[in-house]
Amino acid sequence: MTPQSSQPTPAQVCMTLSALAATAAAPRPSGETREQRTWRVAAGIRRQLPFLWLATRAVWRLEWLALSPDDANMAYIAKSIDGSNRFAVVPRGPIGNITDILEDLDVGTVVPFSASGSPTPVAVSKGAMTAFTQVATMVSIPPQAEDEPGAPAPEDAFASQGTTIVQALAALVQAAPTTPRPTVYVTGHSLGGCLATMLAPYLYTQAQSWSDVPDFLLQTFAAPTAGLGSFATYLTGLPFDTRHHFNAWDAVPLAWTDLGKVKQGKWYPSPGPAGNATPARCRRLRSHPVHRLHHRPGRRHDHSHGAGGHRHR
């Protein structure tokens, strides 16, 4: 997308913000402290947001970022600076961390999701709940400017140090103008999208007590499901738009709702690749009795040749 093209859609903006969450996800072979890692991730995202050719169009600024103590999860908050009064909450997708992988696969046990704000019980997978709890409770820490030679930390970097994601978002929204009405995008790719479906109802519930209640928009990309039918029904019934974008030939978004579609040698249409180890793994995962109960919330957008896919080997 070039600066001369049409105005990017919310989905395009959210997809770009979700992609930026993977910045500096790989650890340095020489090792680094959590503070150094925080600064490296934050510095990378800050450098990319000014790119005019991205859908974010250089009108977004990083405002908050935190990593979990075990580095399995990261999330950031960005704010528009073009007067549109938009905010984005973006959890990161999987990075290959062993804790991250275990969170992805721990779907055999479901637990209550009391933070959703639902008046009746809703259930999510234990793995998704573990990741959500990390994201909801991790706090921002001061970045380490000396870790990036020649790149001093911005004066406004992490102004609200020691805050959680809901505390930071509340402060940003309540300090914003009331016109136009603030809008909060909650978005993520893969595991980040799964977490976004949990963060959206949580943040929406918390926002009802704020002096200025924002609108919400949930956009996920190639996200596996987080919970059972009770969770999906509650989330879809909330008064904001919920959209799930996926590639029709990507197996990951079918977890944990419809992995039975993935069959060896028949998954990709001609002239696509022949079946490989991925369908075989999906069949083994499919044998778990609980995944059949999972449901996907919101509208589904099939992008057969578009965004939100994974590469399978």
PDB file of all heavy atoms in Angstrom, residues 20 23-24 37-51 62 65 148:
ATOM      1  N   LEU A  20       3.347  -6.193  13.402  1.00  0.00           N
ATOM      2  CA  LEU A  20       4.442  -5.523  14.093  1.00  0.00           C
ATOM      3  C   LEU A  20       4.703  -6.136  15.472  1.00  0.00           C
ATOM      4  O   LEU A  20       5.791  -5.956  16.020  1.00  0.00           O
ATOM      5  CB  LEU A  20       4.127  -4.031  14.252  1.00  0.00           C
ATOM      6  CG  LEU A  20       4.079  -3.212  12.959  1.00  0.00           C
ATOM      7  CD1 LEU A  20       3.823  -1.744  13.269  1.00  0.00           C
ATOM      8  CD2 LEU A  20       5.360  -3.367  12.151  1.00  0.00           C
ATOM      9  N   THR A  23       7.919  -8.114  16.092  1.00  0.00           N
ATOM     10  CA  THR A  23       9.215  -7.445  16.037  1.00  0.00           C
ATOM     11  C   THR A  23      10.142  -7.903  17.161  1.00  0.00           C
ATOM     12  O   THR A  23       9.732  -7.939  18.322  1.00  0.00           O
ATOM     13  CB  THR A  23       9.030  -5.922  16.134  1.00  0.00           C
ATOM     14  OG1 THR A  23       8.242  -5.482  15.023  1.00  0.00           O
ATOM     15  CG2 THR A  23      10.364  -5.199  16.119  1.00  0.00           C
ATOM     16  N   ALA A  24      11.354  -8.262  16.815  1.00  0.00           N
ATOM     17  CA  ALA A  24      12.384  -8.667  17.783  1.00  0.00           C
ATOM     18  C   ALA A  24      11.918  -9.805  18.690  1.00  0.00           C
ATOM     19  O   ALA A  24      12.322  -9.890  19.845  1.00  0.00           O
ATOM     20  CB  ALA A  24      12.821  -7.464  18.635  1.00  0.00           C
ATOM     21  N   ARG A  37      15.420  -6.604  26.462  1.00  0.00           N
ATOM     22  CA  ARG A  37      14.492  -7.162  25.465  1.00  0.00           C
ATOM     23  C   ARG A  37      13.317  -6.211  25.260  1.00  0.00           C
ATOM     24  O   ARG A  37      12.863  -5.995  24.123  1.00  0.00           O
ATOM     25  CB  ARG A  37      14.011  -8.528  25.940  1.00  0.00           C
ATOM     26  CG  ARG A  37      13.098  -9.262  24.970  1.00  0.00           C
ATOM     27  CD  ARG A  37      13.868  -9.794  23.777  1.00  0.00           C
ATOM     28  NE  ARG A  37      13.071 -10.710  22.987  1.00  0.00           N
ATOM     29  CZ  ARG A  37      12.989 -12.006  23.214  1.00  0.00           C
ATOM     30  NH1 ARG A  37      13.652 -12.547  24.216  1.00  0.00           N
ATOM     31  NH2 ARG A  37      12.255 -12.773  22.424  1.00  0.00           N
ATOM     32  N   THR A  38      12.816  -5.642  26.339  1.00  0.00           N
ATOM     33  CA  THR A  38      11.697  -4.701  26.236  1.00  0.00           C
ATOM     34  C   THR A  38      12.068  -3.523  25.352  1.00  0.00           C
ATOM     35  O   THR A  38      11.314  -3.112  24.463  1.00  0.00           O
ATOM     36  CB  THR A  38      11.271  -4.196  27.627  1.00  0.00           C
ATOM     37  OG1 THR A  38      10.804  -5.294  28.409  1.00  0.00           O
ATOM     38  CG2 THR A  38      10.165  -3.153  27.531  1.00  0.00           C
ATOM     39  N   TRP A  39      13.264  -2.958  25.587  1.00  0.00           N
ATOM     40  CA  TRP A  39      13.691  -1.818  24.795  1.00  0.00           C
ATOM     41  C   TRP A  39      13.892  -2.203  23.333  1.00  0.00           C
ATOM     42  O   TRP A  39      13.532  -1.462  22.415  1.00  0.00           O
ATOM     43  CB  TRP A  39      14.984  -1.237  25.360  1.00  0.00           C
ATOM     44  CG  TRP A  39      15.631  -0.260  24.432  1.00  0.00           C
ATOM     45  CD1 TRP A  39      16.849  -0.372  23.846  1.00  0.00           C
ATOM     46  CD2 TRP A  39      15.082   0.966  23.958  1.00  0.00           C
ATOM     47  NE1 TRP A  39      17.098   0.725  23.041  1.00  0.00           N
ATOM     48  CE2 TRP A  39      16.025   1.551  23.097  1.00  0.00           C
ATOM     49  CE3 TRP A  39      13.873   1.629  24.196  1.00  0.00           C
ATOM     50  CZ2 TRP A  39      15.798   2.761  22.459  1.00  0.00           C
ATOM     51  CZ3 TRP A  39      13.653   2.847  23.546  1.00  0.00           C
ATOM     52  CH2 TRP A  39      14.610   3.396  22.708  1.00  0.00           C
ATOM     53  N   ARG A  40      14.453  -3.378  23.083  1.00  0.00           N
ATOM     54  CA  ARG A  40      14.706  -3.794  21.702  1.00  0.00           C
ATOM     55  C   ARG A  40      13.398  -3.968  20.939  1.00  0.00           C
ATOM     56  O   ARG A  40      13.276  -3.551  19.777  1.00  0.00           O
ATOM     57  CB  ARG A  40      15.522  -5.090  21.693  1.00  0.00           C
ATOM     58  CG  ARG A  40      16.030  -5.481  20.330  1.00  0.00           C
ATOM     59  CD  ARG A  40      17.174  -6.472  20.445  1.00  0.00           C
ATOM     60  NE  ARG A  40      16.770  -7.733  21.038  1.00  0.00           N
ATOM     61  CZ  ARG A  40      16.310  -8.774  20.344  1.00  0.00           C
ATOM     62  NH1 ARG A  40      16.183  -8.681  19.023  1.00  0.00           N
ATOM     63  NH2 ARG A  40      15.982  -9.898  20.944  1.00  0.00           N
ATOM     64  N   VAL A  41      12.401  -4.590  21.578  1.00  0.00           N
ATOM     65  CA  VAL A  41      11.093  -4.756  20.938  1.00  0.00           C
ATOM     66  C   VAL A  41      10.443  -3.392  20.705  1.00  0.00           C
ATOM     67  O   VAL A  41       9.942  -3.093  19.617  1.00  0.00           O
ATOM     68  CB  VAL A  41      10.181  -5.653  21.791  1.00  0.00           C
ATOM     69  CG1 VAL A  41       8.784  -5.697  21.191  1.00  0.00           C
ATOM     70  CG2 VAL A  41      10.753  -7.064  21.902  1.00  0.00           C
ATOM     71  N   ALA A  42      10.452  -2.557  21.744  1.00  0.00           N
ATOM     72  CA  ALA A  42       9.825  -1.240  21.637  1.00  0.00           C
ATOM     73  C   ALA A  42      10.502  -0.385  20.576  1.00  0.00           C
ATOM     74  O   ALA A  42       9.840   0.288  19.773  1.00  0.00           O
ATOM     75  CB  ALA A  42       9.863  -0.530  22.992  1.00  0.00           C
ATOM     76  N   ALA A  43      11.833  -0.415  20.536  1.00  0.00           N
ATOM     77  CA  ALA A  43      12.564   0.379  19.554  1.00  0.00           C
ATOM     78  C   ALA A  43      12.250  -0.078  18.136  1.00  0.00           C
ATOM     79  O   ALA A  43      12.096   0.743  17.218  1.00  0.00           O
ATOM     80  CB  ALA A  43      14.065   0.280  19.824  1.00  0.00           C
ATOM     81  N   GLY A  44      12.123  -1.384  17.954  1.00  0.00           N
ATOM     82  CA  GLY A  44      11.804  -1.902  16.627  1.00  0.00           C
ATOM     83  C   GLY A  44      10.427  -1.482  16.152  1.00  0.00           C
ATOM     84  O   GLY A  44      10.243  -1.100  14.991  1.00  0.00           O
ATOM     85  N   ILE A  45       9.448  -1.554  17.033  1.00  0.00           N
ATOM     86  CA  ILE A  45       8.093  -1.146  16.658  1.00  0.00           C
ATOM     87  C   ILE A  45       8.046   0.352  16.389  1.00  0.00           C
ATOM     88  O   ILE A  45       7.418   0.813  15.431  1.00  0.00           O
ATOM     89  CB  ILE A  45       7.099  -1.537  17.765  1.00  0.00           C
ATOM     90  CG1 ILE A  45       6.983  -3.071  17.853  1.00  0.00           C
ATOM     91  CG2 ILE A  45       5.718  -0.929  17.505  1.00  0.00           C
ATOM     92  CD1 ILE A  45       6.113  -3.559  18.988  1.00  0.00           C
ATOM     93  N   ARG A  46       8.728   1.138  17.215  1.00  0.00           N
ATOM     94  CA  ARG A  46       8.752   2.591  17.018  1.00  0.00           C
ATOM     95  C   ARG A  46       9.372   2.961  15.670  1.00  0.00           C
ATOM     96  O   ARG A  46       8.951   3.917  15.025  1.00  0.00           O
ATOM     97  CB  ARG A  46       9.535   3.265  18.157  1.00  0.00           C
ATOM     98  CG  ARG A  46       8.766   3.354  19.460  1.00  0.00           C
ATOM     99  CD  ARG A  46       9.609   4.062  20.510  1.00  0.00           C
ATOM    100  NE  ARG A  46       8.935   4.119  21.784  1.00  0.00           N
ATOM    101  CZ  ARG A  46       8.066   5.064  22.147  1.00  0.00           C
ATOM    102  NH1 ARG A  46       7.761   6.029  21.307  1.00  0.00           N
ATOM    103  NH2 ARG A  46       7.501   5.036  23.344  1.00  0.00           N
ATOM    104  N   ARG A  47      10.375   2.214  15.241  1.00  0.00           N
ATOM    105  CA  ARG A  47      11.025   2.522  13.967  1.00  0.00           C
ATOM    106  C   ARG A  47      10.120   2.211  12.774  1.00  0.00           C
ATOM    107  O   ARG A  47      10.240   2.830  11.711  1.00  0.00           O
ATOM    108  CB  ARG A  47      12.321   1.732  13.843  1.00  0.00           C
ATOM    109  CG  ARG A  47      13.431   2.212  14.758  1.00  0.00           C
ATOM    110  CD  ARG A  47      14.776   1.616  14.334  1.00  0.00           C
ATOM    111  NE  ARG A  47      15.832   2.003  15.249  1.00  0.00           N
ATOM    112  CZ  ARG A  47      16.349   1.210  16.185  1.00  0.00           C
ATOM    113  NH1 ARG A  47      15.896  -0.022  16.322  1.00  0.00           N
ATOM    114  NH2 ARG A  47      17.309   1.635  16.983  1.00  0.00           N
ATOM    115  N   GLN A  48       9.250   1.223  12.924  1.00  0.00           N
ATOM    116  CA  GLN A  48       8.409   0.815  11.796  1.00  0.00           C
ATOM    117  C   GLN A  48       7.118   1.620  11.677  1.00  0.00           C
ATOM    118  O   GLN A  48       6.602   1.805  10.564  1.00  0.00           O
ATOM    119  CB  GLN A  48       8.068  -0.676  11.931  1.00  0.00           C
ATOM    120  CG  GLN A  48       9.280  -1.583  11.812  1.00  0.00           C
ATOM    121  CD  GLN A  48       8.949  -3.032  12.087  1.00  0.00           C
ATOM    122  OE1 GLN A  48       8.557  -3.771  11.186  1.00  0.00           O
ATOM    123  NE2 GLN A  48       9.099  -3.443  13.337  1.00  0.00           N
ATOM    124  N   LEU A  49       6.589   2.087  12.773  1.00  0.00           N
ATOM    125  CA  LEU A  49       5.323   2.819  12.727  1.00  0.00           C
ATOM    126  C   LEU A  49       5.385   4.068  11.831  1.00  0.00           C
ATOM    127  O   LEU A  49       4.366   4.427  11.240  1.00  0.00           O
ATOM    128  CB  LEU A  49       4.877   3.191  14.141  1.00  0.00           C
ATOM    129  CG  LEU A  49       4.263   2.049  14.967  1.00  0.00           C
ATOM    130  CD1 LEU A  49       3.998   2.490  16.387  1.00  0.00           C
ATOM    131  CD2 LEU A  49       2.988   1.535  14.303  1.00  0.00           C
ATOM    132  N   PRO A  50       6.507   4.763  11.686  1.00  0.00           N
ATOM    133  CA  PRO A  50       6.544   5.937  10.800  1.00  0.00           C
ATOM    134  C   PRO A  50       6.589   5.614   9.306  1.00  0.00           C
ATOM    135  O   PRO A  50       6.563   6.536   8.488  1.00  0.00           O
ATOM    136  CB  PRO A  50       7.820   6.670  11.236  1.00  0.00           C
ATOM    137  CG  PRO A  50       8.128   6.162  12.603  1.00  0.00           C
ATOM    138  CD  PRO A  50       7.696   4.734  12.573  1.00  0.00           C
ATOM    139  N   PHE A  51       6.651   4.336   8.916  1.00  0.00           N
ATOM    140  CA  PHE A  51       6.729   4.000   7.494  1.00  0.00           C
ATOM    141  C   PHE A  51       5.410   4.363   6.798  1.00  0.00           C
ATOM    142  O   PHE A  51       4.354   3.819   7.124  1.00  0.00           O
ATOM    143  CB  PHE A  51       7.010   2.506   7.297  1.00  0.00           C
ATOM    144  CG  PHE A  51       8.383   2.077   7.741  1.00  0.00           C
ATOM    145  CD1 PHE A  51       8.647   0.732   7.969  1.00  0.00           C
ATOM    146  CD2 PHE A  51       9.395   3.001   7.922  1.00  0.00           C
ATOM    147  CE1 PHE A  51       9.908   0.318   8.368  1.00  0.00           C
ATOM    148  CE2 PHE A  51      10.669   2.604   8.322  1.00  0.00           C
ATOM    149  CZ  PHE A  51      10.923   1.258   8.552  1.00  0.00           C
ATOM    150  N   LEU A  62       3.596   4.243  19.509  1.00  0.00           N
ATOM    151  CA  LEU A  62       3.644   3.272  20.596  1.00  0.00           C
ATOM    152  C   LEU A  62       3.510   3.997  21.931  1.00  0.00           C
ATOM    153  O   LEU A  62       4.206   4.972  22.198  1.00  0.00           O
ATOM    154  CB  LEU A  62       4.963   2.502  20.555  1.00  0.00           C
ATOM    155  CG  LEU A  62       5.171   1.430  21.621  1.00  0.00           C
ATOM    156  CD1 LEU A  62       4.181   0.289  21.437  1.00  0.00           C
ATOM    157  CD2 LEU A  62       6.603   0.905  21.579  1.00  0.00           C
ATOM    158  N   LEU A  65       4.082  -1.010  26.392  1.00  0.00           N
ATOM    159  CA  LEU A  65       4.508  -2.334  25.955  1.00  0.00           C
ATOM    160  C   LEU A  65       5.008  -3.097  27.168  1.00  0.00           C
ATOM    161  O   LEU A  65       5.672  -2.533  28.038  1.00  0.00           O
ATOM    162  CB  LEU A  65       5.603  -2.222  24.904  1.00  0.00           C
ATOM    163  CG  LEU A  65       6.101  -3.514  24.250  1.00  0.00           C
ATOM    164  CD1 LEU A  65       6.482  -3.245  22.793  1.00  0.00           C
ATOM    165  CD2 LEU A  65       7.297  -4.107  24.994  1.00  0.00           C
ATOM    166  N   GLU A 148      20.707   0.094  22.818  1.00  0.00           N
ATOM    167  CA  GLU A 148      20.667   0.446  21.409  1.00  0.00           C
ATOM    168  C   GLU A 148      21.599   1.625  21.180  1.00  0.00           C
ATOM    169  O   GLU A 148      21.189   2.779  21.314  1.00  0.00           O
ATOM    170  CB  GLU A 148      19.225   0.816  20.986  1.00  0.00           C
ATOM    171  CG  GLU A 148      18.298  -0.376  20.904  1.00  0.00           C
ATOM    172  CD  GLU A 148      18.606  -1.235  19.690  1.00  0.00           C
ATOM    173  OE1 GLU A 148      19.132  -0.698  18.700  1.00  0.00           O
ATOM    174  OE2 GLU A 148      18.353  -2.438  19.742  1.00  0.00           O
TER     175      GLU A 148
END
